[in-house]
Amino acid sequence: MKGRESGMPEQDQWEQFFDAEEVISRLGCADLVGDVVEFGCVYGTFTLPVAAKLAGRVQALDMENAMITATAEKARVGGFSNVQTILRDFVEQGTGLADGSVVHAMLFNLLHIEDPVGLLREVHRVLSPSGTASVTHWRRDIETPRGPSLPMGGRGGF
Ligand SMILES: C[S@@+](CC[C@H](N)C(=O)[O-])C[C@H]1O[C@@H](n2cnc3c(N)ncnc32)[C@H](O)[C@@H]1O
């Protein structure tokens, strides 16, 4: 089941909102050793910067074929062999990854889905005992150019 969302902007606009290198560095997703799982990769905005600094694979999941194709194409053009794109509904089916198999999980701009706790349980299952997770979400205390409404757990209004 696709998580509720406020509609994705086009890639160019989306990627103006973030300094991906800064985000992954500050959230501890850079320079990891081991496999990483990313929930909802969309355009690969964070996938490729993480892959570039990783000794391991990024397993990038999304249920939208267009998003998987976009991320896979970016990885191909960029010469990344450590990006594995996976077309999958992680709410209905889970990730399909083995217990404790990843060192890090990325949940970026996603936790406004209907059952965030269920998703976090899946994160906990696939993380290794010393594994970590990173989360980004819209702030409620300032105006932001995009984001889900307050009832969705977002920033409130457009
Ligand atoms: C708001 S976007 C996340 C953006 C991305 N993480 C980033 O920060 O650049 C949400 C993405 O999650 C995907 N998604 C939502 N529910 C999903 C589900 N149940 N299984 C797999 N992908 C899902 C959507 O297709 C969409 O691409």
Side-chain angles (χ1 to χ4, degrees), residues 11 15 38 41-52 57-60 66-86:
Q11 178 173 338
E15 296 192 340
E38 181 183 19
C41 60
V42 182
Y43 304 122
T45 305
F46 298 99
T47 320
L48 272 65
V50 168
R57 287 174 299 171
V58 183
Q59 294 165 309
M67 301 307 183
I68 288 296
T69 303
T71 300
E73 178 61 8
K74 262 188 181 176
R76 189 192 66 75
V77 170
F80 289 89
S81 58
N82 63 340
V83 173
Q84 180 186 7
T85 49
I86 303 172

Side-chain angles (χ1 to χ4, degrees), residues 1-9 14-15 18 38-47 61-65 67 86-93 106-110 112-114 119 136 138:
M1 183 184 76
K2 188 168 185 180
R4 59 190 173 182
E5 60 175 47
S6 53
M8 280 300 293
W14 182 251
E15 296 192 340
F18 311 101
E38 181 183 19
F39 290 81
C41 60
V42 182
Y43 304 122
T45 305
F46 298 99
T47 320
L61 279 74
D62 207 293
M63 66 184 290
E64 292 284 345
N65 196 34
M67 301 307 183
I86 303 172
L87 181 65
R88 191 170 177 98
D89 181 336
F90 48 66
V91 170
E92 293 288 331
Q93 304 171 286
M106 298 159 63
L107 297 132
F108 289 180
N109 309 306
L110 184 73
H112 51 285
I113 66 169
E114 286 81 352
L119 195 56
T136 66
W138 289 268

